[in-house]
Amino acid sequence: MQSVSSSGLPYHNLTWIFCQAVTITRVKEKMVMEEGCQTPRSPEAKVGMQVEDLWDIQEPQLSPTEKLNACFENIPVSDFPPAPSNQVIEIKSDATLAEAVKLLSQHKLLGAPVVDVDAPEDASWIDRYIGIVEFAGIVVWILHQSEKMEGTAAFDFDSLITGAENILSPALAAAVNGVSSPRFRSMHPESPTATCGNFFETLTSSDLYKNTTVRDISGSFRWAPFLALQKSNSFLTMLLLLSKYKMKSVPVVDLGEYKIANIITQSAVIHMLEECAGLHWFESWGSKKLFELGLPLMKPNNVIQVAEDEPVLQAFKLMRQNGVGGIPVVESGGRRAIGNISIRDIQFLLIAPEIYRDYRSITAKNFLTSVRKYQGEHEKNSLFLSDMVTCRRNNSLKEVIMKLDSKKIHRIYVVDDMGNLEGVITLRDIISKLVHEPRGYFGDFFDGVLPLPANSRV
């Protein structure tokens, strides 16, 4: 991979000296004072101080974004704090979809690497890992089964593949191809999307669901490739993959041991940023108001949403059609949001299908009501699906980061004084405001792996 540093500076091991004046409250929160020196409270704060040291030696004529690019280019991903052990899991290729859903749900993950059980012990990571299984891909499988089980024809995959790169993540192309295109017919109450209350009980008790393995869907339109970084790759590379190239997580492999050394997620990056509050580089960036940074990116009338009385599967179809990881549920005929459904919430249709059996059809509102009740009984500390986390356009980026990190969520909705939707801000939107891609940066990194965005400058 061709990595071109914006500053031309080599990476240095710099001493941990933090001399920027910040509020005493924030300093006490983030640092431990020891005889005039300041020691980072957390591994994430240590990375923040490393950026601070690099920031201080950048050329003064560089813009703040250029400085951040240069800083992150000179920090290897091996310095990123390791993910908790319960978040670095592998799913065996002979595991069933039911087992995969259970594992992802238990560990609260969007996806996990799939290890080939037939690979030899000394296989390289390229041969050891055959892809990523995600809730996004499982959603497509569910939609496909709903079409067949409700007595209609399956998707016309050949026509849907055309233009797929404009629909979803270019970095997850294999999971994209074959997903519903924007030309797909709109849903209505008589549509097969309007599933009856016992549909998922029937599906999850079927031999098809119990016997379909992760390997069975590998290489199909529901599959995401295994795209990993080496420890020597830079933070800048990682941040670009998580933002512009729309990856939810990036595995970091250990070439010596042929295995995954770390998995860096969008959420982990946001947590790192939260731990950097009080540092000069973060405050100069994070103190900006959302509207000053052009956030939210989408105009109110372009926000993808589902009405409360529409079938819940319509929500998941809209996510797949538009390449988004979650959408708001709004009052019928209005703009006021009453809840949020994300791509990983498909798990609640699979792990507890019995909670919908009393409904004639599973609408978005019925889904929210049932899942809230289920979470209240089984997941006492979870954020309820129907709880909307919101902000205003005049909030600072720092305030939004704090809220996203404290709630452990992937998106926050921007509302006006009346509670009407004005937009949505995702973790990816925030990371994309932190760095930019230098011309020619990735070189041949993606060759043969995935299609690039139309506006890529590679």
Side-chain angles (χ1 to χ4, degrees):
M1 169 181 149
Q2 299 172 0
S3 297
V4 180
S5 170
S6 300
S7 67
L9 292 171
Y11 171 75
H12 294 290
N13 290 321
L14 300 173
T15 56
W16 301 114
I17 301 174
F18 173 52
C19 56
Q20 175 64 39
V22 295
T23 62
I24 294 177
T25 300
R26 176 54 71 181
V27 171
K28 285 183 177 179
E29 284 180 351
K30 299 299 177 187
M31 307 293 167
V32 176
M33 305 299 295
E34 295 178 356
E35 298 181 357
C37 296
Q38 296 170 358
T39 303
R41 188 193 73 168
S42 67
E44 291 81 11
K46 182 177 180 180
V47 172
M49 292 177 68
Q50 194 170 349
V51 175
E52 185 89 340
D53 289 335
L54 289 165
W55 174 278
D56 290 340
I57 63 173
Q58 299 305 311
E59 297 293 336
Q61 69 269 22
L62 294 178
S63 68
T65 302
E66 288 173 330
K67 284 186 177 182
L68 284 175
N69 257 38
C71 292
F72 289 123
E73 173 62 10
N74 283 283
I75 303 176
V77 291
S78 57
D79 284 2
F80 197 93
S85 58
N86 66 341
Q87 292 184 17
V88 183
I89 68 167
E90 298 176 353
I91 294 179
K92 294 181 178 181
S93 59
D94 59 355
T96 65
L97 286 186
E99 291 168 337
V101 168
K102 184 177 180 180
L103 277 171
L104 294 177
S105 177
Q106 286 176 340
H107 293 273
K108 302 184 184 302
L109 299 173
L110 290 172
V114 177
V115 60
D116 187 353
V117 294
D118 296 325
E121 272 190 35
D122 59 349
S124 68
W125 67 266
I126 295 177
D127 296 321
R128 175 177 169 81
Y129 299 101
I130 60 176
I132 303 286
V133 62
E134 300 179 307
F135 276 124
I138 293 171
V139 163
V140 181
W141 186 85
I142 293 296
L143 295 177
H144 184 42
Q145 300 312 315
S146 73
E147 290 286 332
K148 293 195 300 183
M149 294 179 71
E150 292 287 347
T152 65
F155 294 125
D156 179 6
F157 294 121
D158 291 337
S159 66
L160 297 179
I161 290 175
T162 304
E165 66 274 10
N166 296 321
I167 302 172
L168 290 180
S169 163
L172 302 179
V176 173
N177 291 337
V179 176
S180 302
S181 81
R183 299 190 299 276
F184 194 76
R185 68 182 186 282
S186 60
M187 295 294 107
H188 51 81
E190 290 73 36
S191 165
T193 307
T195 52
C196 60
N198 65 355
F199 170 80
F200 289 97
E201 277 194 286
T202 302
L203 176 63
T204 54
S205 62
S206 69
D207 289 338
L208 175 67
Y209 183 68
K210 292 177 180 178
N211 297 329
T212 298
T213 68
V214 171
R215 177 163 44 198
D216 290 337
I217 67 171
S218 66
S220 74
F221 62 90
R222 295 179 277 275
W223 199 246
F226 185 79
L227 180 61
L229 293 179
Q230 299 176 25
K231 288 184 174 182
S232 59
N233 287 124
S234 72
F235 262 55
L236 179 59
T237 302
M238 174 265 292
L239 293 171
L240 289 171
L241 290 176
L242 292 175
S243 56
K244 182 173 182 178
Y245 292 90
K246 303 183 181 180
M247 293 181 68
K248 300 295 185 185
S249 61
V250 179
V252 180
V253 295
D254 187 324
L255 295 182
E257 299 186 21
Y258 305 126
K259 66 178 184 180
I260 295 174
N262 198 5
I263 294 180
I264 303 174
T265 64
Q266 292 177 341
S267 296
V269 170
I270 295 300
H271 179 61
M272 181 200 77
L273 293 174
E274 189 277 337
E275 288 290 299
C276 294
L279 296 172
H280 172 67
W281 69 267
F282 176 85
E283 296 296 333
S284 65
W285 173 70
S287 61
K288 291 183 172 61
K289 304 294 185 184
L290 296 179
F291 68 85
E292 294 176 323
L293 292 166
L295 293 173
L297 299 175
M298 192 176 293
K299 295 181 179 179
N301 59 347
N302 291 330
V303 175
I304 309 301
Q305 57 191 39
V306 65
E308 61 182 350
D309 57 356
E310 289 188 271
V312 68
L313 281 188
Q314 171 68 347
F316 293 109
K317 281 196 173 183
L318 288 171
M319 291 181 218
R320 301 313 296 150
Q321 289 171 355
N322 295 279
V324 295
I327 59 175
V329 179
V330 298
E331 292 178 334
S332 297
R335 284 176 50 209
R336 195 177 72 85
I338 64 168
N340 168 76
I341 299 177
S342 68
I343 200 77
R344 64 178 169 184
D345 295 330
I346 194 74
Q347 65 183 289
F348 294 112
L349 293 173
L350 301 174
I351 62 175
E354 69 281 356
I355 68 178
Y356 314 101
R357 63 166 62 121
D358 293 336
Y359 293 115
R360 184 168 177 268
S361 66
I362 310 174
T363 64
K365 183 177 181 179
N366 291 342
F367 178 76
L368 291 176
T369 301
S370 298
V371 172
R372 176 166 189 148
K373 181 180 179 182
Y374 176 84
Q375 287 183 301
E377 295 171 351
H378 298 86
E379 303 176 17
K380 301 297 184 182
N381 297 322
S382 294
L383 180 74
F384 291 132
L385 288 183
S386 54
D387 291 341
M388 289 293 293
V389 180
T390 62
C391 66
R392 305 295 175 87
R393 286 172 54 85
N394 62 352
N395 281 135
S396 70
L397 187 60
K398 175 181 175 179
E399 291 171 331
V400 169
I401 288 173
M402 300 296 173
K403 188 173 288 189
L404 286 167
D405 185 59
S406 65
K407 299 288 187 181
K408 305 303 178 189
I409 54 177
H410 293 142
R411 63 192 53 79
I412 188 169
Y413 292 101
V414 184
V415 297
D416 62 17
D417 292 337
M418 302 297 293
N420 295 317
L421 276 174
E422 290 196 327
V424 59
I425 298 174
T426 66
L427 305 187
R428 183 171 72 87
D429 294 335
I430 293 174
I431 299 171
S432 70
K433 294 297 181 179
L434 187 64
V435 294
H436 69 275
E437 181 184 351
R439 184 177 299 276
Y441 180 80
F442 278 103
D444 59 359
F445 182 75
F446 296 110
D447 284 4
V449 179
L450 49 105
L452 298 175
N455 65 344
S456 174
R457 294 184 292 172
V458 172

